[in-house]
Amino acid sequence: MTQPTYYPIQLKTGEAIGLPRVSHVLNHINKHGFAGKRIYYGKSNGKAIEIGNQVDAMITRIIDGTIMPTEEWQGITKEEWLLTDEKVKNSVRAYIRWQQQTGFKPRFSHMIVYSLKHGYAGELDAGGLIKNRMVICDWKTGDLHFDLQVMQLVAYLYAYLEMYPKKKASEIRLVLLSKKTGNFQDITIDSENMQKAFSKFLEYKSYVL
């Protein structure tokens, strides 16, 4: 087994602890399988990961500028856009189209969430309002979605609700931002499938850790 990586978490009591990352559990399953059985969900090469990181950075800047534009906020300049890889541009265009069509109003981005009850932590991409309902979102720069991506997002939602029990976030969106076409797929996970995905995630977590 590979050694898990941990998020440093500062509790309300002031105590500092480390919790294993959701991504460690799922990456291990994707690479090594489960209980001796190979499970293939897909892989990303170095270039794909680099593109995903660039897309995420640009979307984060767009979101941060929407939430609280300040003099320090650095928008995406025309010169920077011209020098940006076309695949990155397509995924960013897809995000903008999604935001415009859904009316998404971001409230936070890159929030660390954790579950003391189940012992894990992770970083969700964004949360905000769609038609006055709180929605937890995760972006993926691809054209297909895999079960592990759903598990990741569901694990983040359950951790968020554990941290903020009075919040009414009950909807999660897996938003696929195509780096080929600039189109998006907006996948909403219903409550039954959320419960199934979370149970499977906990099963994987127990196996890996």
Side-chain angles (χ1 to χ4, degrees), residues 42-61:
K43 63 181 179 180
S44 295
N45 57 36
K47 180 62 175 177
I49 293 172
E50 180 184 347
I51 288 173
N53 290 338
Q54 291 180 39
V55 170
D56 181 69
M58 280 196 166
I59 291 176
T60 299
R61 287 163 62 187

Side-chain angles (χ1 to χ4, degrees), residues 76-131:
I76 300 168
T77 65
K78 182 177 180 180
E79 291 75 14
E80 181 183 5
W81 185 253
L82 290 173
L83 294 173
T84 298
D85 185 290
E86 194 63 30
K87 291 181 178 179
V88 175
K89 289 181 181 179
N90 280 336
S91 289
V92 174
R93 290 179 183 120
Y95 167 77
I96 293 171
R97 290 185 178 110
W98 174 80
Q99 184 177 27
Q100 291 174 341
Q101 290 188 30
T102 61
F104 176 65
K105 298 178 181 178
R107 290 293 180 267
F108 58 82
S109 67
H110 288 278
M111 176 185 287
I112 303 297
V113 292
Y114 59 87
S115 169
L116 296 178
K117 180 179 179 180
H118 298 290
Y120 67 83
E123 184 175 354
L124 58 84
D125 282 346
L129 300 177
I130 295 178
K131 297 180 179 179

Side-chain angles (χ1 to χ4, degrees), residues 164-180:
Y164 304 102
K166 294 183 179 180
K167 300 290 186 181
K168 295 183 178 180
S170 58
E171 187 174 325
I172 56 178
R173 302 282 188 99
L174 180 61
V175 186
L176 309 181
L177 309 172
S178 175
K179 53 183 177 284
K180 296 178 181 178

Side-chain angles (χ1 to χ4, degrees), residues 124-139:
L124 58 84
D125 282 346
L129 300 177
I130 295 178
K131 297 180 179 179
N132 293 319
R133 296 183 60 184
M134 176 58 78
V135 176
I136 302 299
C137 306
D138 195 45
W139 332 120

Side-chain angles (χ1 to χ4, degrees), residues 4-7 9 11 17-25 113-122 155 158-159 162 198 201-202 204-206 208-209:
T5 52
Y6 292 86
Y7 266 116
I9 303 296
L11 303 179
I17 63 172
L19 291 173
R21 296 172 182 253
V22 171
S23 59
H24 170 80
V25 173
V113 292
Y114 59 87
S115 169
L116 296 178
K117 180 179 179 180
H118 298 290
Y120 67 83
Y158 277 63
E162 182 181 323
F198 190 60
F201 166 73
L202 294 180
Y204 284 169
K205 175 180 171 290
S206 296
V208 171
L209 302 177

